Amino acid sequence: MKDYRLNRLFNSKSGNCFDVAIDHGFFNEYGFLQGIENISKAVDILINAAPDAIQLTVGQAHYLQSVPGRQKPSLVLRTDVANVYGKELPRALFSRMIENPVEQALRLDATCVVVNLFSIPGEPEVTDQCIRNILKIKPVCEQYAMPLMIEPLVFRPNSEAGGYMVNGDPEKIIPLVRQGVELGADIIKADPTDDVDQYYRVVETAGRIPVLVRGGGKASDREILDRTYGLMQQGVKGIVYGRNVIQHANPAGMTKALMAIVHEGAKPADVIDYINN
């Protein structure tokens, strides 16, 4: 049955997936709300743009799942909440999982659940919490045949970068990705490496587990399209982008452009007009 849910997540023709993440309100950061202040409007825009999936929380999933009809994106349910993204970190950091996450996902008709695996300099306790979350959710995912997406996320030191700044060093990303696979991921959602041409090493480390690449911070249109195209040439099975879609002046056009790259192998020059029109 796990494969049946994955069939709803990955495109039947390309075998790839474009998941738009708009679960940022879970993390209590004002800057994360740009573009999703009105979550109902944001979901409607994305449904019309038709990505493969939309990533939401338990409190917002109904905006997607209450829409009638079969032709709408699948639900990926965020299962953990954390306070690690601010420019100034609080005295005590945490990553906490919602109660009975898989049962809640089943009631919401989700195709997948997602949980973080943080690596934050000087904060091993947060990594420990993440591992405990994964160890707790994995057996229940197996019991109910719910696919588990693990999100390995390596941070740069907060004193150096200030806030939600990821580390693109493959020597940091690769072992955390492998740990996620070892812990039982059915899908890996990982950051791009600083040198995009090195991403094949992440895919190789994940083995048979499909890798979806995170979008990270806001970037220019051409940078996003070029990076996505380069990543797709190295064996990734898709992307999970949030702010680079929903904070864009033309979210529907950006979605269309990225879908063409992910599912049709289109080149950036061929899809830039989707954004500009």
Side-chain angles (χ1 to χ4, degrees):
M1 285 184 63
K2 188 184 293 184
D3 287 341
Y4 302 164
R5 290 195 173 94
L6 289 172
N7 285 342
R8 292 165 54 194
L9 187 62
F10 287 88
N11 185 278
S12 60
K13 294 180 179 179
S14 70
N16 298 330
C17 174
F18 179 18
D19 172 17
V20 179
I22 54 171
D23 54 355
H24 302 84
F26 222 22
F27 303 110
N28 193 28
E29 292 290 334
Y30 182 78
F32 284 7
L33 297 180
Q34 182 184 345
I36 58 169
E37 299 92 341
N38 184 329
I39 194 72
S40 177
K41 179 180 178 182
V43 170
D44 286 346
I45 289 171
L46 291 177
I47 290 173
N48 290 330
D52 300 294
I54 301 176
Q55 190 168 295
L56 290 160
T57 62
V58 288
Q60 305 284 31
H62 64 93
Y63 286 108
L64 171 63
Q65 299 301 66
S66 63
V67 173
R70 294 179 294 174
Q71 302 302 319
K72 62 183 177 184
S74 298
L75 170 65
V76 173
L77 186 72
R78 163 65 64 187
T79 64
D80 53 345
V81 57
N83 68 339
V84 301
Y85 298 104
K87 290 186 178 300
E88 295 184 9
L89 295 179
R91 176 177 52 81
L93 301 182
F94 66 80
S95 181
R96 302 281 171 80
M97 195 162 57
I98 63 175
E99 290 296 316
N100 304 314
V102 179
E103 290 89 338
Q104 293 200 60
L106 290 168
R107 285 194 291 272
L108 290 166
D109 192 31
T111 58
C112 181
V113 293
V114 58
V115 62
N116 281 306
L117 177 56
F118 293 126
S119 175
I120 304 173
E123 301 292 345
E125 295 83 3
V126 181
T127 303
D128 175 59
Q129 290 179 32
C130 291
I131 291 174
R132 289 173 182 265
N133 290 342
I134 294 168
L135 293 175
K136 182 177 180 180
I137 197 174
K138 177 60 180 177
V140 189
C141 284
E142 290 301 306
Q143 179 182 353
Y144 291 108
M146 176 63 69
L148 175 61
M149 183 189 297
I150 295 179
E151 185 172 349
L153 179 52
V154 182
F155 280 69
R156 291 165 60 191
N158 213 64
S159 58
E160 169 193 314
Y164 176 31
M165 296 297 289
V166 299
N167 193 326
D169 182 352
E171 294 189 5
K172 298 287 197 311
I173 295 173
I174 286 171
L176 198 64
V177 165
R178 186 54 171 264
Q179 186 175 43
V181 172
E182 303 280 357
L183 287 167
D186 297 300
I187 302 168
I188 286 288
K189 172 187 172 185
D191 278 305
T193 48
D194 289 335
D195 180 356
V196 172
D197 292 337
Q198 291 294 306
Y199 208 78
Y200 72 92
R201 297 169 60 194
V202 178
V203 175
E204 180 181 58
T205 298
R208 296 181 179 178
I209 301 304
V211 176
L212 305 182
V213 187
R214 296 176 72 254
K218 197 78 168 62
S220 70
D221 294 348
R222 194 56 193 248
E223 181 181 348
I224 287 296
L225 298 180
D226 286 344
R227 182 199 304 165
T228 303
Y229 181 79
L231 289 165
M232 293 304 301
Q233 306 314 300
Q234 296 182 71
V236 305
K237 298 300 291 182
I239 55 176
V240 184
Y241 289 0
R243 287 172 291 169
N244 283 297
V245 173
I246 203 62
Q247 291 182 359
H248 195 275
N250 183 3
M254 176 58 85
T255 299
K256 186 176 181 181
L258 291 168
M259 289 283 279
I261 293 173
V262 169
H263 295 309
E264 301 167 20
K267 295 182 178 180
D270 299 328
V271 300
I272 192 70
D273 286 343
Y274 293 155
I275 300 172
N276 297 330
N277 291 337

